[in-house]
Amino acid sequence: MEQYEPDRLSGAQLAAMRRSLTSGRGALTRRSMLRATGAGALTIGALAGLSGCGIPPAKREGDGPASTDHSADEKRVVFSNWTEYMDVSEDEKDYPTLREFTRRTGVSVKYTADINDNVEFFGKIQPQLAAGQDIGRDLICVTDWLAARMIRLGYAQKLDPSRLPHAFANLSDQFRSPDWDPGRAHSYPWTGIPTVIAYNAKATGGRKVDSVSQLLDDPQLKGRVSFLSEMRDSIGMTLLDLGKDPGSFTDDDFDAAVARIQKAVDKKQIRRFTGNDYTADLDKGDIAACVAWAGDVVQLQTDNPDIKFAIPRSGYIISSDNLLVPAKARHKTNAEMLIDHYYRPEIAAQLAAYINYVCPVDGVRAELAKIDTSMADNTLILPDAAMAAASHAFRSLSAEEETAYEQKFAKLIGA
């Protein structure tokens, strides 16, 4: 009989989840607030609520158990994603790229935008996964650290490369082999999430801000700087500034990054630590410069030409949101077909034009230029070779490391 062990969240991890949900990437983005039209409720095919059962959380190691695949008999796939993470038609009645998938394959998509926060979502689905049950979803999209956890716990199925010809051929080198899923055996990225430096050129008097050292030390920016309340982003960018590799740092390196930021807090260089809510202050110029998410920068630049971004010479942090097929999913083959659909350049271009984050698909530029030439030239959406080479992923953490690091970071930011 297979043995299960508890895999509960620590207090520090729960605190980090609350920060993310109220002000981080789990909170409403600027576009969400402007476009609060209920797009998450749209469907292709029937939509229904999905609920978990009350089985205690547990874990198991290894690949997710193979399930009986009903794809041939049931021409459908159930896909859970983040809000505002799918292209919507002008009349807001459907999703064009999903409609095209159904037209091309005959497989209907039950699409639900019901992921608001990684930890919250994992808490909802983990009891069923731990019990070896189908969670009612064939495809989910979660951030890299949670994807790593699910793979480690055996909650994600290994993908069949023969059903992913476009994905295998067109995946950008930048995302090909994360330390938590070498060779992308279980996952493919939906989008990349760069953490960069953003600044309001009007607020800086036309001065460029292009390093974390500048954010932390420049007296002309005192009191007008913000860092992110997400540990991996702020600490990762600071590690790079210190000449450390976020992919292989030590406890001492982490402590040095915390101390570096703490010094700036003590001298009131940093105004505050924020989630998405920095965008309004940056737009107005109350924040002159900050650590920012690239997708927010792209959206702000649409209305404010004073908003600029910079990639430090030391590099920048990139994470990703990733597609996984959960253990016991009923329609694995159909889910793999849907993953592959989004690695067709013409489909990837349509998605990138809508969500404005890094497209992980090579060969998209010509297709995106047909939609919007400015987007095709924007390295925050399609990184050039130099920008891709400057990206660094924050390494996977053990449960013990994550608890210890989140505790130290929470103390630093006063959370």
Side-chain angles (χ1 to χ4, degrees):
M1 180 176 178
E2 190 169 15
Q3 299 296 312
Y4 298 116
E5 301 173 11
D7 188 41
R8 302 183 185 277
L9 295 168
S10 68
Q13 291 169 318
L14 288 170
M17 177 270 286
R18 286 192 291 270
R19 289 199 307 273
S20 179
L21 187 58
T22 56
S23 63
R25 287 190 59 237
L28 284 177
T29 64
R30 174 174 174 273
R31 181 171 60 197
S32 298
M33 291 184 282
L34 293 174
R35 296 188 65 262
T37 58
L42 299 174
T43 64
I44 288 183
L47 277 180
L50 298 167
S51 61
C53 60
I55 299 171
K59 73 176 182 178
R60 59 175 168 245
E61 305 294 339
D63 289 330
S67 59
T68 302
D69 193 348
H70 299 272
S71 294
D73 301 322
E74 299 174 5
K75 296 292 187 180
R76 60 197 297 265
V77 61
V78 183
F79 182 11
S80 280
N81 203 350
W82 294 74
T83 58
E84 296 293 328
Y85 237 20
M86 181 64 73
D87 56 304
V88 179
S89 61
E90 289 188 10
D91 61 8
E92 298 185 344
K93 290 184 177 180
D94 72 355
Y95 303 106
T97 56
L98 289 178
R99 179 180 359 109
E100 172 60 20
F101 173 75
T102 298
R103 185 202 66 77
R104 187 175 58 80
T105 65
V107 175
S108 66
V109 182
K110 177 180 173 182
Y111 181 79
T112 310
D114 61 346
I115 302 179
N116 295 301
D117 175 84
N118 286 289
V119 179
E120 178 192 51
F121 181 68
F122 186 53
K124 182 163 57 174
I125 64 175
Q126 187 190 29
Q128 291 161 284
L129 290 168
Q133 298 175 350
D134 175 17
I135 65 169
R137 298 162 173 88
D138 303 303
L139 193 64
I140 62 174
C141 183
V142 295
T143 304
D144 44 17
W145 64 266
L146 180 54
R149 172 181 286 184
M150 291 188 64
I151 292 168
R152 176 175 60 84
L153 296 178
Y155 294 164
Q157 295 191 51
K158 187 170 285 188
L159 301 174
D160 184 345
S162 70
R163 299 194 186 108
L164 297 159
H166 294 93
F168 182 80
N170 296 331
L171 176 61
S172 169
D173 287 343
Q174 187 177 8
F175 298 100
R176 277 203 175 265
S177 196
D179 67 350
W180 47 269
D181 189 21
R184 290 288 180 180
H186 304 82
S187 69
Y188 270 88
W190 179 251
T191 190
I193 308 163
T195 303
V196 299
I197 292 176
Y199 61 100
N200 185 318
K202 185 176 181 180
T204 65
R207 294 170 61 245
K208 184 176 183 179
V209 180
D210 60 1
S211 73
V212 170
S213 288
Q214 219 174 331
L215 293 176
L216 295 174
D217 299 326
D218 187 342
Q220 295 187 52
L221 299 176
K222 184 174 181 178
R224 298 188 297 151
V225 169
S226 67
F227 272 59
L228 291 169
S229 58
E230 297 282 352
M231 180 264 289
R232 288 167 175 81
D233 298 297
S234 287
I235 294 295
M237 291 291 281
T238 305
L239 284 168
L240 287 168
D241 193 68
L242 290 170
K244 303 298 183 180
D245 181 0
S248 60
F249 65 88
T250 65
D251 287 348
D252 287 344
D253 295 334
F254 184 91
D255 290 344
V258 169
R260 180 86 171 89
I261 300 173
Q262 184 67 60
K263 183 178 178 181
V265 170
D266 293 343
K267 66 181 182 182
K268 303 189 185 308
Q269 178 78 7
I270 296 176
R271 181 179 183 134
R272 62 192 182 104
F273 293 86
T274 75
N276 286 105
D277 50 323
Y278 69 85
T279 56
D281 286 343
L282 181 64
D283 193 35
K284 291 185 295 184
D286 292 341
I287 290 292
C290 59
V291 176
W293 287 305
D296 293 332
V297 176
V298 174
Q299 292 172 29
L300 286 173
Q301 287 178 326
T302 301
D303 301 319
N304 188 344
D306 289 323
I307 303 301
K308 311 291 184 183
F309 79 94
I311 302 298
R313 289 184 179 179
S314 57
Y316 67 99
I317 293 293
I318 193 161
S319 56
S320 57
D321 284 336
N322 307 273
L323 300 172
L324 299 177
V325 177
K328 295 296 183 180
R330 285 181 64 88
H331 310 107
K332 179 174 181 282
T333 296
N334 292 343
E336 290 167 334
M337 289 169 59
L338 186 55
I339 293 173
D340 199 60
H341 175 70
Y342 281 97
Y343 277 79
R344 292 172 175 261
E346 68 277 12
I347 300 299
Q350 291 180 58
L351 183 67
Y354 185 83
I355 65 176
N356 298 158
Y357 277 90
V358 167
C359 178
V361 183
D362 280 342
V364 168
R365 185 172 304 280
E367 295 293 337
L368 188 55
K370 295 176 185 177
I371 301 170
D372 188 321
T373 55
S374 65
M375 286 189 180
D377 293 333
N378 191 329
T379 55
L380 293 181
I381 297 174
L382 296 183
D384 57 19
M387 184 165 175
S391 67
H392 298 264
F394 198 95
R395 71 170 173 83
S396 299
L397 301 178
S398 67
E400 293 77 13
E401 286 178 323
E402 187 168 357
T403 294
Y405 292 168
E406 287 289 3
Q407 286 176 340
K408 292 176 181 179
F409 186 69
K411 182 178 179 181
L412 167 68
I413 68 176

